[in-house]
Every structure is written in C-alpha cells, then in structure tokens.
Amino acid sequence: MSDLPDVVSVGQYLAHRLIEVGGPHVFGLPGDFNLTLLDEMLTVDGVEWVGNTNELNAAYAADAYARTSRGIASLVTTYGVGELSAINGIAGSFAEDVPVLQITGMPTTAARTTGALSHHTLVDGDYDHFFRAYKEVTVAGAILRAADASRDIDRVLRAALDESKPVYLGIPMDIAAAPVSSAPLRHPLRATPSDSVALDDFRTALTEAFASRLGPQDPVTLLAGPRIHRRRAEHLLERIADHPGVRVATQASAKSMLPETHPASLGIYMGQMTPSAATRAAVDEAPLVVLAGTVLSDVLTGFYSQHFDFDAAVELGVSTARVGAVTFHDVRLEDSLAVVDEVVAGLTLSPGPAADTSWPYRAALPAAAPGSPLSQHELWTIVQSWLPTDSIAIADAGTAMYGALELQMPTGTDLLAQPIWSSIGYTLPATLGTSLASSRRSILFIGDGAAQLTATELSTILNRGLTPIIVLINNDGYTIERVIQSPAAVYQGVAAWDWAALPAALAPGVPVLTASVGTASELRDALAAAAGATDRAVLIQAHLDPNDAPPLLAALGAIAGGGREAPRAR
C-alpha cells in the first residue's frame, strides 16, 4: 500500500480493501447506476471482474467463493431490479454464515435527496426501500457519502470479518468517483479480538466442567458445525482430535471438515437420521458434549431429535462461549477452540477403541443383470470408489446432497452443500465460485430440476475455460419432493431438456466432454473418462428412476411426510 497516491476514489478504495480481505474476484452485472463504480474499481491492479448471467447466480457464486477462499466475496448489482434479484442468495449467506458484500450502484445523492421519480424505483420518492430490505439479511450496511465513505467501508467490512455474515454497501453514482484519503489503507482490517478476561474465565469454567462431568474412561465428545469452517479453524479441530480419548462427530453442513479417515472421526450426526447407530449413541449418550460452531436446525438435527443435554453442554459460538448456564461474551470461536485444545491436552484420557462408524457405499456392489437401469445405490457406490483426492465435491439440495452425505470423502476432498438454506440450483453457480477460488477440481452433483433454475451460469463457467466435472442426476423432476408427498403429482415433473446439447448452445466452440449414462458400467466408463479429461469441463447425464432415492433422503421423507422416527441408524 506504500505506493498508493495520497488520494483515491471511493471505488478504488473499496477495491483495495476487497483485495486485502481475500476477494479480488468481483461478481455481478453492469447497470447504469453502477457503471462509474465499476470503472473506478477496475482501475486497481488485481481486481478481476466476473460477469454473471443474472444477479441471483452472482450471489450464489460469491457465496461459494467466500466459503472456498475464506475471504470476503463481493458482487455488484444495479439499484432495485439487480439487488432484489440477488437478495435470495444473500439471505442464504446470512443463514449459513458466509461473509459476502452486496454492493449496489445507486442513483445520485441529489436524486435520493429530492425524491426524483426514476426507473428501477417504486416511483414514490423513497430510495431506501431496498436498503431496509437488506437489513433483514445482513449484519451491517451503509449508503455512502463522500465525507465518511472510507470509514463506512471499513466499518461494514469489519462487521463481515467479525460475524461471518453478509453486509451491504449502497454507492450513489456521484460518490463512486469521489476522492478520499488513501491513508487508512495502510492499516489492515482486523477482526475484533476476544476479551482476555472473558477468555480466562471460560478456560476456568471449562476445566471445572471436564473435571466434574468426565470419568477416567469417558471420551471428550465434540459435535462440530459449519462455523468452525467460517472462522478458518479446522486446524484447531484436528489438533483437538489428535489427543487420545477425543471423539468428533460433524454436522452435515460440516462434513469432512475433520478428515473422515481420522481415527477420531465419528462421521456425521443428524439425530434420528444419523447413518451410524454408534455415532448417534456416542453423541446422544455422552456425559458432556462440546457443541463447536454448531447450528441446531431441523434437518441438521434430524428434525430436533437430538438427545444430548443441550442445557448442560459446552457451546462455542462465533463470538460467545457457554459452559452450562454461564455465557462468556466476546470470546471468538477460534480462541475458544484453542482453549479446548489446551484444556484437553492437560487431561488424562483413555485412548479407547477407534471410532466406530460405517460407510454404506464402501461395500462392493452385488452383481446386476447386464443392461439393468442405474440405481441410486449403484450411482453413489461407484462415485465412492471413483471420487478423487484433493478436490471439491459440491452437492445440490435434494437427491444429490442426501446421496453425497453418506460418502466417505477421500483425503483433501471437501463437500460443499447448503443444507440450511437449501435453495435448489445454488450449486451450479457455486461451482463457478469454487473453481475461481481454488486450483482443486470442482465436482458437482445436481438434479435436473435444480439445474434448470440456474443453468445459464454454465455459460460463464465454460467461457472462462474452467474445467469442473458435472454429474447431472436426471430423474425427471423433484425427487426430494416426491419422497415427502404426492409423488405422482403433476407439479413434481419438469420439462425435458437436451442436456448434451446445452454446452454447445451456451459456449460455442468450447470443448466439453459429454456423456449420457443409464447403467452402472456406462457410469464407470464416463467417470473414468472425466478424470482423464483435465483440460475441459465434463457433463455426465445420469438417468435414474424418478422414485428412487438414497437411504438418507428416504429417511427424511419418512419423517417429513409422516412425522415418525426414521429407520436410519444401523
């Protein structure tokens, strides 16, 4: 920053901050109210524009980019029509604790002050309608003025750093090029540190809780949630897991955050939907559970069927820690995890047997009649044996996610899913975000119904030369809804698309490997070819019976449809 001029524009100032916080790629669409802002931002070396096919896709791509890069991602839209198209994606980022900056190019300050009737407005003279709407799905926001623009940019970005949530900036056309001092850029933004006194008090309370609640043969049991990932603290979780006598289960939204081959890994915990009976018992019957960065939502708890004692648990949140009935404020999750590691290191625990779990798709497939239709069980068993190391698996809400959750992720391979917000179609634009944020190859599993919502973003992926593998599960519509209710209803189907022809229509001249498979042997061949085609994107269309569902999805349907205990644990 030492070579910066003394004065920069507001747009340049914002661009420098975005590079600093890990978001050099800027997603979005141009519109007349953001053109000056874009022109200013793109004068800064290191900023790269990623034009999307619509604003919702831009928000989804930015969300996945932030999850993968661990920085703050951003998107730029125009006022009203653009920002409202993006708000569903931003709401998902809020629900799942992802720091995304929504930047709205706004009409001029004069137009806002006088209430001029303009296009893209509700023609009532009130220019704050959508700013107020975004307050519901962000933790901080501002409409910039020249006098304090840099201060508000820093305040809003720091809120995203502190809370791992989305934030909002409205930038009027005349403010985008306004001059501001570059002096604050010499001081990097930092998240607010933990309160040292509160952290010490938490350490004392945790030590006492372990001493009073754990016997010499009792393991330390952690249930790890997605907020550990958002705070970049997986290394602390693994360090805790390395201690003898520690067992770690993860929520579905945190799957593979601890390597699933780690001896302490119990796999995923979802209450009555937990795949392994041993995992469910290990968590529900533990004398003391440490809830580390968890979100106890319906799907993640098997529809609130967790049996552990929540009130007596140790709970580590993003900015608070709780031991039983006592809450310690201003304690950052990354610091509370470090304290857990420190306290556990001082315990004398019995190593105990290796964690007992099961992986259903590890078993060999039974012989099938030649040419018999591909089943969900065959699909996921073949994927399990094929899935490469050091990749990013992405699974859309629905059949894809519930199949992927029971895979054992190989070394270095993460699973990205959106089980809380569960907005179908999210993952196709998300694949753009992961592909830009990481050199690891992205492997997307998505249903045909979900893909139809956001398929246009395949154009951006292909035309940028990105090379993900896309496994499109074609089961003629919404199998997840069929499992829940009314499988034969007319609304469960979708129009048939020629998926093999889509890449050529969206990216003429770009080489893409395509395949259509309907049997186990065809799927094996297609995946083998995909692994070898590292220079191009791959689209594999897998045809499956509309009523065939992975076991975990069938369990969800049993609960949601009948309100009964799911026959899951084995």
Side-chain angles (χ1 to χ4, degrees):
M1 296 291 184
S2 59
D3 57 347
L4 282 175
D6 292 339
V7 174
V8 295
S9 70
V10 168
Q12 291 168 334
Y13 186 98
L14 175 58
H16 282 293
R17 282 301 195 205
L18 288 175
I19 292 172
E20 177 193 324
V21 298
H25 290 88
V26 178
F27 300 87
L29 277 80
D32 54 348
F33 293 138
N34 66 28
L35 299 179
T36 300
L37 172 64
L38 291 176
D39 286 343
E40 291 297 322
M41 293 180 71
L42 293 176
T43 64
V44 175
D45 288 341
V47 170
E48 183 174 345
W49 172 248
V50 183
N52 299 96
T53 58
N54 62 62
E55 292 87 356
L56 175 59
N57 286 355
Y60 287 158
D63 176 286
Y65 183 93
R67 294 181 194 227
T68 308
S69 71
R70 312 303 181 83
I72 298 176
S74 65
L75 67 151
V76 177
T77 71
T78 199
Y79 177 80
V81 293
E83 61 185 329
L84 289 184
S85 291
I87 198 168
N88 173 38
I90 298 299
S93 298
F94 188 95
E96 302 221 353
D97 302 292
V98 184
V100 175
L101 170 62
Q102 162 67 34
I103 306 167
T104 296
M106 300 187 71
T108 64
T109 303
R112 294 185 63 250
T113 301
T114 62
L117 304 186
S118 172
H119 66 288
H120 294 344
T121 75
L122 300 182
V123 291
D124 62 355
D126 184 348
Y127 281 79
D128 289 348
H129 283 295
F130 315 127
F131 178 44
R132 291 194 293 270
Y134 265 91
K135 287 182 177 179
E136 297 295 327
V137 293
T138 58
V139 293
I143 297 174
L144 299 187
R145 305 181 306 167
D148 45 22
S150 59
R151 183 199 67 186
D152 278 343
I153 289 171
D154 289 357
R155 172 181 61 82
V156 167
L157 289 175
R158 186 174 288 112
L161 289 173
D162 279 349
E163 301 194 45
S164 295
K165 294 279 190 182
V167 291
Y168 177 99
L169 284 176
I171 306 181
M173 296 169 64
D174 54 308
I175 302 301
V180 294
S181 171
S182 67
L185 294 173
R186 300 186 185 97
H187 304 279
L189 296 178
R190 297 282 188 267
T192 303
S194 293
D195 179 272
S196 59
V197 174
L199 194 63
D200 285 341
D201 290 345
F202 167 66
R203 181 181 292 105
T204 300
L206 182 69
T207 302
E208 293 173 352
F210 280 161
S212 63
R213 298 285 300 280
L214 297 181
Q217 301 300 315
D218 291 328
V220 172
T221 304
L222 274 77
L223 178 58
R227 288 167 174 159
I228 293 177
H229 173 272
R230 308 298 188 260
R231 302 308 302 172
R232 311 181 189 185
E234 296 98 324
H235 66 289
L236 292 170
L237 178 65
E238 189 161 0
R239 204 161 75 191
I240 295 168
D242 286 341
H243 294 297
V246 173
R247 296 289 179 264
V248 179
T250 58
Q251 294 193 288
S253 51
K255 180 178 169 62
S256 75
M257 191 168 58
L258 177 70
E260 292 182 317
T261 54
H262 193 289
S265 174
L266 293 167
I268 61 169
Y269 172 87
M270 300 178 71
Q272 63 185 312
M273 291 171 61
T274 303
S276 165
T279 298
R280 185 179 184 187
V283 176
D284 281 345
E285 297 172 13
L288 177 66
V289 175
V290 178
L291 304 173
T294 55
V295 180
L296 302 183
S297 65
D298 55 355
V299 170
L300 297 184
T301 59
F303 293 86
Y304 317 112
S305 59
Q306 71 275 17
H307 289 165
F308 55 81
D309 189 343
F310 173 79
D311 292 331
V314 174
E315 186 179 20
L316 313 181
V318 170
S319 58
T320 61
R322 176 178 65 83
V323 179
V326 181
T327 298
F328 305 90
H329 296 278
D330 301 318
V331 173
R332 312 297 306 178
L333 178 56
E334 52 271 34
D335 294 329
S336 62
L337 279 168
V339 168
V340 172
D341 175 53
E342 172 191 329
V343 174
V344 170
L347 299 176
T348 301
L349 297 171
S350 171
D356 179 17
T357 187
S358 59
W359 299 100
Y361 300 120
R362 285 288 183 193
L365 283 172
S372 61
L374 181 68
S375 69
Q376 287 283 345
H377 182 70
E378 288 174 323
L379 168 68
W380 297 109
T381 301
I382 292 167
V383 166
Q384 176 72 86
S385 64
W386 166 84
L387 195 62
T389 60
D390 299 313
S391 57
I392 302 175
I394 308 161
D396 207 88
T399 306
M401 185 178 76
Y402 288 98
L405 282 176
E406 294 201 79
L407 296 172
Q408 184 183 32
M409 292 293 139
T411 303
T413 295
D414 299 327
L415 177 67
L416 187 153
Q418 197 195 43
I420 298 172
W421 192 240
S422 289
S423 188
I424 66 168
Y426 158 80
T427 57
L428 205 158
T431 301
L432 170 63
T434 59
S435 297
L436 290 172
S438 175
S439 60
R440 292 181 294 165
R441 196 173 195 185
S442 294
I443 303 170
L444 169 63
F445 301 94
I446 186 170
D448 58 333
Q452 286 192 9
L453 272 75
T454 54
T456 54
E457 211 57 43
L458 184 60
S459 173
T460 311
I461 292 170
L462 298 179
N463 282 294
R464 291 186 70 91
L466 303 173
T467 60
I469 297 171
I470 300 171
V471 179
L472 187 132
I473 300 169
N474 190 334
N475 45 21
D476 296 326
Y478 306 117
T479 291
I480 184 171
E481 312 299 350
R482 292 183 179 115
V483 166
I484 293 171
Q485 184 174 314
S486 306
V490 64
Y491 51 73
Q492 304 288 21
V494 297
W497 285 18
D498 187 347
W499 289 101
L502 192 63
L506 296 177
V510 176
V512 178
L513 178 63
T514 63
S516 182
V517 304
T519 67
S521 61
E522 289 173 348
L523 177 62
R524 286 192 183 94
D525 291 344
L527 289 174
T534 57
D535 62 337
R536 62 190 61 194
V538 179
L539 175 61
I540 299 170
Q541 180 181 190
H543 295 275
L544 289 125
D545 186 289
N547 294 308
D548 189 12
L552 196 58
L553 179 55
L556 177 139
I559 301 167
R564 56 188 180 274
E565 177 86 3
R568 284 299 306 137
R570 54 182 176 271

